[in-house]
Amino acid sequence: MALGNSPFIYKVHHAYTASQHQNDPRMIDMDTENLKNTEDLIEVANYHYVSYIYKNGHVWELDGLKGRPIKLSECDEATWLDALKPILEERMNASNDEGIAFNLMAVIHDSLSSKKAEANTYQDCIDQIEQVKEFESQAAQAHKDGFFSKYLNNNLTGYPVMQELWDARIQQEESTITEKATKLNELKDSVQDEIKIVETDNDVIMADVCRLKTDYFPFIEELLRAAMQKMVDDLNLCNCAFSIINRPKNDRLIYDADAKTKCISKW
């Protein structure tokens, strides 16, 4: 709303938008003062986030300007993105703008959290295998069942290795235990190396995001340039007014009473 309340700042701010959007009122916060109720928001063309998700066999649209989620298309979880594609294309093609009037952003699982969870799973498996090394087969089997009821993700690279390691512990096959434990440790170390790489990349990305979010220099520079130009124009107008005031009245080539009045009034 602050941008909309200052025409001067509004103009400078919009100098950094695409040319076809510079005068688009949707580029700043929407004025909701005259809206009778929140349902009227549905009809207002305003830039905002719209999310699409899969839930219970359907693609759903989540639009904060609408009163409830909208069921769009029937599908299954494996193919819901294919079902969503024509919906997005239709919405994009319906835009009246000649340029790009939208952005697409995908929300995915955090790879760093997944990698850390994987490394922790491997370490927990190694620790528990060590804890049950003196247990009888039946007790070791109970611990195995408890372990895999806790870690249900069988898509992990080391999942088969963990199963083989537990089976070897139950059967008291020491050579196999050593072999599988070594392999699981190698997998854990590999995942931890990946974690370090991802953390380094994330630090770089976050630093760039922080820099971009706080880099107001181009905006401030343009704002100061416009302010300076306005000051120069005002000074020129001031000089013009005093020049007219101080001219002798008999100087018909320069003196103009109407110009004097207009100049002083504007100044």
PDB file of all heavy atoms in Angstrom, residues 30-33 35-46 48 63-67:
ATOM      1  N   MET A  30      -3.064  -4.633  -3.624  1.00  0.00           N
ATOM      2  CA  MET A  30      -4.398  -4.300  -4.083  1.00  0.00           C
ATOM      3  C   MET A  30      -5.125  -3.451  -3.048  1.00  0.00           C
ATOM      4  O   MET A  30      -5.014  -3.673  -1.850  1.00  0.00           O
ATOM      5  CB  MET A  30      -5.168  -5.599  -4.328  1.00  0.00           C
ATOM      6  CG  MET A  30      -6.591  -5.418  -4.789  1.00  0.00           C
ATOM      7  SD  MET A  30      -7.298  -7.020  -5.183  1.00  0.00           S
ATOM      8  CE  MET A  30      -6.957  -7.902  -3.691  1.00  0.00           C
ATOM      9  N   ASP A  31      -5.875  -2.461  -3.512  1.00  0.00           N
ATOM     10  CA  ASP A  31      -6.667  -1.623  -2.622  1.00  0.00           C
ATOM     11  C   ASP A  31      -7.985  -2.332  -2.332  1.00  0.00           C
ATOM     12  O   ASP A  31      -8.830  -2.490  -3.214  1.00  0.00           O
ATOM     13  CB  ASP A  31      -6.924  -0.266  -3.286  1.00  0.00           C
ATOM     14  CG  ASP A  31      -7.666   0.683  -2.357  1.00  0.00           C
ATOM     15  OD1 ASP A  31      -7.904   0.294  -1.196  1.00  0.00           O
ATOM     16  OD2 ASP A  31      -7.995   1.796  -2.794  1.00  0.00           O
ATOM     17  N   THR A  32      -8.159  -2.792  -1.108  1.00  0.00           N
ATOM     18  CA  THR A  32      -9.358  -3.549  -0.740  1.00  0.00           C
ATOM     19  C   THR A  32     -10.366  -2.705   0.023  1.00  0.00           C
ATOM     20  O   THR A  32     -11.344  -3.222   0.541  1.00  0.00           O
ATOM     21  CB  THR A  32      -8.966  -4.755   0.133  1.00  0.00           C
ATOM     22  OG1 THR A  32      -8.300  -4.269   1.306  1.00  0.00           O
ATOM     23  CG2 THR A  32      -8.045  -5.696  -0.616  1.00  0.00           C
ATOM     24  N   GLU A  33     -10.135  -1.406   0.065  1.00  0.00           N
ATOM     25  CA  GLU A  33     -10.985  -0.545   0.889  1.00  0.00           C
ATOM     26  C   GLU A  33     -12.434  -0.567   0.424  1.00  0.00           C
ATOM     27  O   GLU A  33     -13.364  -0.526   1.228  1.00  0.00           O
ATOM     28  CB  GLU A  33     -10.439   0.883   0.854  1.00  0.00           C
ATOM     29  CG  GLU A  33     -11.225   1.849   1.731  1.00  0.00           C
ATOM     30  CD  GLU A  33     -10.620   3.236   1.706  1.00  0.00           C
ATOM     31  OE1 GLU A  33      -9.529   3.404   1.118  1.00  0.00           O
ATOM     32  OE2 GLU A  33     -11.243   4.146   2.278  1.00  0.00           O
ATOM     33  N   LEU A  35     -13.973  -2.988  -1.265  1.00  0.00           N
ATOM     34  CA  LEU A  35     -14.570  -4.305  -1.424  1.00  0.00           C
ATOM     35  C   LEU A  35     -15.587  -4.553  -0.316  1.00  0.00           C
ATOM     36  O   LEU A  35     -15.324  -4.303   0.855  1.00  0.00           O
ATOM     37  CB  LEU A  35     -13.487  -5.389  -1.388  1.00  0.00           C
ATOM     38  CG  LEU A  35     -12.492  -5.360  -2.549  1.00  0.00           C
ATOM     39  CD1 LEU A  35     -11.481  -6.480  -2.382  1.00  0.00           C
ATOM     40  CD2 LEU A  35     -13.196  -5.493  -3.883  1.00  0.00           C
ATOM     41  N   LYS A  36     -16.751  -5.062  -0.680  1.00  0.00           N
ATOM     42  CA  LYS A  36     -17.805  -5.277   0.305  1.00  0.00           C
ATOM     43  C   LYS A  36     -17.516  -6.481   1.189  1.00  0.00           C
ATOM     44  O   LYS A  36     -17.801  -6.486   2.374  1.00  0.00           O
ATOM     45  CB  LYS A  36     -19.145  -5.462  -0.416  1.00  0.00           C
ATOM     46  CG  LYS A  36     -19.587  -4.216  -1.179  1.00  0.00           C
ATOM     47  CD  LYS A  36     -20.910  -4.463  -1.881  1.00  0.00           C
ATOM     48  CE  LYS A  36     -21.356  -3.227  -2.655  1.00  0.00           C
ATOM     49  NZ  LYS A  36     -22.631  -3.454  -3.374  1.00  0.00           N
ATOM     50  N   ASN A  37     -16.981  -7.536   0.613  1.00  0.00           N
ATOM     51  CA  ASN A  37     -16.644  -8.716   1.398  1.00  0.00           C
ATOM     52  C   ASN A  37     -15.523  -9.467   0.707  1.00  0.00           C
ATOM     53  O   ASN A  37     -15.144  -9.150  -0.418  1.00  0.00           O
ATOM     54  CB  ASN A  37     -17.871  -9.625   1.587  1.00  0.00           C
ATOM     55  CG  ASN A  37     -18.488 -10.013   0.254  1.00  0.00           C
ATOM     56  OD1 ASN A  37     -17.857 -10.691  -0.541  1.00  0.00           O
ATOM     57  ND2 ASN A  37     -19.718  -9.562   0.009  1.00  0.00           N
ATOM     58  N   THR A  38     -15.000 -10.472   1.396  1.00  0.00           N
ATOM     59  CA  THR A  38     -13.835 -11.185   0.866  1.00  0.00           C
ATOM     60  C   THR A  38     -14.158 -11.964  -0.394  1.00  0.00           C
ATOM     61  O   THR A  38     -13.258 -12.280  -1.171  1.00  0.00           O
ATOM     62  CB  THR A  38     -13.290 -12.159   1.924  1.00  0.00           C
ATOM     63  OG1 THR A  38     -14.344 -13.019   2.358  1.00  0.00           O
ATOM     64  CG2 THR A  38     -12.746 -11.395   3.115  1.00  0.00           C
ATOM     65  N   GLU A  39     -15.426 -12.296  -0.627  1.00  0.00           N
ATOM     66  CA  GLU A  39     -15.773 -13.023  -1.838  1.00  0.00           C
ATOM     67  C   GLU A  39     -15.476 -12.189  -3.080  1.00  0.00           C
ATOM     68  O   GLU A  39     -15.223 -12.721  -4.154  1.00  0.00           O
ATOM     69  CB  GLU A  39     -17.261 -13.415  -1.814  1.00  0.00           C
ATOM     70  CG  GLU A  39     -17.599 -14.462  -0.763  1.00  0.00           C
ATOM     71  CD  GLU A  39     -16.900 -15.778  -1.025  1.00  0.00           C
ATOM     72  OE1 GLU A  39     -16.759 -16.148  -2.208  1.00  0.00           O
ATOM     73  OE2 GLU A  39     -16.484 -16.430  -0.057  1.00  0.00           O
ATOM     74  N   ASP A  40     -15.529 -10.846  -2.932  1.00  0.00           N
ATOM     75  CA  ASP A  40     -15.242  -9.982  -4.075  1.00  0.00           C
ATOM     76  C   ASP A  40     -13.806 -10.126  -4.545  1.00  0.00           C
ATOM     77  O   ASP A  40     -13.477  -9.775  -5.675  1.00  0.00           O
ATOM     78  CB  ASP A  40     -15.502  -8.515  -3.714  1.00  0.00           C
ATOM     79  CG  ASP A  40     -16.979  -8.244  -3.478  1.00  0.00           C
ATOM     80  OD1 ASP A  40     -17.794  -9.014  -4.016  1.00  0.00           O
ATOM     81  OD2 ASP A  40     -17.303  -7.282  -2.766  1.00  0.00           O
ATOM     82  N   LEU A  41     -12.941 -10.639  -3.674  1.00  0.00           N
ATOM     83  CA  LEU A  41     -11.541 -10.808  -4.052  1.00  0.00           C
ATOM     84  C   LEU A  41     -11.388 -11.776  -5.211  1.00  0.00           C
ATOM     85  O   LEU A  41     -10.438 -11.690  -5.980  1.00  0.00           O
ATOM     86  CB  LEU A  41     -10.732 -11.321  -2.853  1.00  0.00           C
ATOM     87  CG  LEU A  41     -10.494 -10.328  -1.712  1.00  0.00           C
ATOM     88  CD1 LEU A  41      -9.889 -11.058  -0.529  1.00  0.00           C
ATOM     89  CD2 LEU A  41      -9.598  -9.198  -2.152  1.00  0.00           C
ATOM     90  N   ILE A  42     -12.328 -12.700  -5.338  1.00  0.00           N
ATOM     91  CA  ILE A  42     -12.239 -13.714  -6.380  1.00  0.00           C
ATOM     92  C   ILE A  42     -12.251 -13.069  -7.760  1.00  0.00           C
ATOM     93  O   ILE A  42     -11.590 -13.523  -8.687  1.00  0.00           O
ATOM     94  CB  ILE A  42     -13.408 -14.717  -6.252  1.00  0.00           C
ATOM     95  CG1 ILE A  42     -13.341 -15.414  -4.896  1.00  0.00           C
ATOM     96  CG2 ILE A  42     -13.384 -15.737  -7.373  1.00  0.00           C
ATOM     97  CD1 ILE A  42     -14.513 -16.318  -4.624  1.00  0.00           C
ATOM     98  N   GLU A  43     -12.995 -11.972  -7.893  1.00  0.00           N
ATOM     99  CA  GLU A  43     -13.163 -11.353  -9.195  1.00  0.00           C
ATOM    100  C   GLU A  43     -12.081 -10.329  -9.505  1.00  0.00           C
ATOM    101  O   GLU A  43     -12.064  -9.751 -10.577  1.00  0.00           O
ATOM    102  CB  GLU A  43     -14.542 -10.676  -9.262  1.00  0.00           C
ATOM    103  CG  GLU A  43     -15.705 -11.609  -8.951  1.00  0.00           C
ATOM    104  CD  GLU A  43     -15.749 -12.782  -9.912  1.00  0.00           C
ATOM    105  OE1 GLU A  43     -15.348 -12.606 -11.084  1.00  0.00           O
ATOM    106  OE2 GLU A  43     -16.176 -13.872  -9.495  1.00  0.00           O
ATOM    107  N   VAL A  44     -11.206 -10.062  -8.552  1.00  0.00           N
ATOM    108  CA  VAL A  44     -10.186  -9.037  -8.757  1.00  0.00           C
ATOM    109  C   VAL A  44      -8.930  -9.663  -9.348  1.00  0.00           C
ATOM    110  O   VAL A  44      -8.422 -10.642  -8.827  1.00  0.00           O
ATOM    111  CB  VAL A  44      -9.836  -8.338  -7.427  1.00  0.00           C
ATOM    112  CG1 VAL A  44      -8.741  -7.297  -7.658  1.00  0.00           C
ATOM    113  CG2 VAL A  44     -11.078  -7.675  -6.846  1.00  0.00           C
ATOM    114  N   ALA A  45      -8.465  -9.114 -10.468  1.00  0.00           N
ATOM    115  CA  ALA A  45      -7.235  -9.619 -11.093  1.00  0.00           C
ATOM    116  C   ALA A  45      -6.042  -9.085 -10.319  1.00  0.00           C
ATOM    117  O   ALA A  45      -5.667  -7.940 -10.458  1.00  0.00           O
ATOM    118  CB  ALA A  45      -7.168  -9.178 -12.548  1.00  0.00           C
ATOM    119  N   ASN A  46      -5.454  -9.927  -9.504  1.00  0.00           N
ATOM    120  CA  ASN A  46      -4.356  -9.497  -8.644  1.00  0.00           C
ATOM    121  C   ASN A  46      -3.290 -10.574  -8.642  1.00  0.00           C
ATOM    122  O   ASN A  46      -3.595 -11.760  -8.625  1.00  0.00           O
ATOM    123  CB  ASN A  46      -4.883  -9.266  -7.224  1.00  0.00           C
ATOM    124  CG  ASN A  46      -3.782  -8.903  -6.258  1.00  0.00           C
ATOM    125  OD1 ASN A  46      -3.423  -9.685  -5.407  1.00  0.00           O
ATOM    126  ND2 ASN A  46      -3.253  -7.708  -6.400  1.00  0.00           N
ATOM    127  N   HIS A  48      -0.853 -13.073  -7.152  1.00  0.00           N
ATOM    128  CA  HIS A  48      -0.733 -13.755  -5.874  1.00  0.00           C
ATOM    129  C   HIS A  48      -0.369 -15.206  -6.150  1.00  0.00           C
ATOM    130  O   HIS A  48      -0.301 -15.642  -7.296  1.00  0.00           O
ATOM    131  CB  HIS A  48      -2.035 -13.663  -5.076  1.00  0.00           C
ATOM    132  CG  HIS A  48      -3.203 -14.335  -5.745  1.00  0.00           C
ATOM    133  ND1 HIS A  48      -3.807 -13.821  -6.862  1.00  0.00           N
ATOM    134  CD2 HIS A  48      -3.862 -15.486  -5.458  1.00  0.00           C
ATOM    135  CE1 HIS A  48      -4.783 -14.617  -7.244  1.00  0.00           C
ATOM    136  NE2 HIS A  48      -4.835 -15.640  -6.419  1.00  0.00           N
ATOM    137  N   ASP A  63      -6.287 -21.556  -3.811  1.00  0.00           N
ATOM    138  CA  ASP A  63      -6.192 -20.135  -4.135  1.00  0.00           C
ATOM    139  C   ASP A  63      -6.653 -19.344  -2.923  1.00  0.00           C
ATOM    140  O   ASP A  63      -7.805 -19.461  -2.493  1.00  0.00           O
ATOM    141  CB  ASP A  63      -7.070 -19.819  -5.349  1.00  0.00           C
ATOM    142  CG  ASP A  63      -6.868 -18.401  -5.862  1.00  0.00           C
ATOM    143  OD1 ASP A  63      -6.419 -17.548  -5.072  1.00  0.00           O
ATOM    144  OD2 ASP A  63      -7.162 -18.145  -7.042  1.00  0.00           O
ATOM    145  N   GLY A  64      -5.751 -18.544  -2.369  1.00  0.00           N
ATOM    146  CA  GLY A  64      -6.087 -17.790  -1.170  1.00  0.00           C
ATOM    147  C   GLY A  64      -7.205 -16.789  -1.357  1.00  0.00           C
ATOM    148  O   GLY A  64      -7.806 -16.330  -0.382  1.00  0.00           O
ATOM    149  N   LEU A  65      -7.505 -16.434  -2.612  1.00  0.00           N
ATOM    150  CA  LEU A  65      -8.590 -15.490  -2.869  1.00  0.00           C
ATOM    151  C   LEU A  65      -9.930 -16.183  -3.059  1.00  0.00           C
ATOM    152  O   LEU A  65     -10.937 -15.517  -3.302  1.00  0.00           O
ATOM    153  CB  LEU A  65      -8.274 -14.649  -4.110  1.00  0.00           C
ATOM    154  CG  LEU A  65      -6.998 -13.806  -4.034  1.00  0.00           C
ATOM    155  CD1 LEU A  65      -6.875 -12.930  -5.260  1.00  0.00           C
ATOM    156  CD2 LEU A  65      -6.984 -12.959  -2.772  1.00  0.00           C
ATOM    157  N   LYS A  66      -9.933 -17.507  -2.947  1.00  0.00           N
ATOM    158  CA  LYS A  66     -11.184 -18.256  -3.071  1.00  0.00           C
ATOM    159  C   LYS A  66     -11.548 -18.862  -1.723  1.00  0.00           C
ATOM    160  O   LYS A  66     -10.685 -19.123  -0.893  1.00  0.00           O
ATOM    161  CB  LYS A  66     -11.060 -19.331  -4.149  1.00  0.00           C
ATOM    162  CG  LYS A  66     -10.824 -18.742  -5.535  1.00  0.00           C
ATOM    163  CD  LYS A  66     -10.738 -19.809  -6.607  1.00  0.00           C
ATOM    164  CE  LYS A  66     -10.497 -19.180  -7.978  1.00  0.00           C
ATOM    165  NZ  LYS A  66     -10.388 -20.198  -9.055  1.00  0.00           N
ATOM    166  N   GLY A  67     -12.806 -19.111  -1.548  1.00  0.00           N
ATOM    167  CA  GLY A  67     -13.300 -19.525  -0.238  1.00  0.00           C
ATOM    168  C   GLY A  67     -12.962 -20.942   0.160  1.00  0.00           C
ATOM    169  O   GLY A  67     -13.042 -21.288   1.338  1.00  0.00           O
TER     170      GLY A  67
END
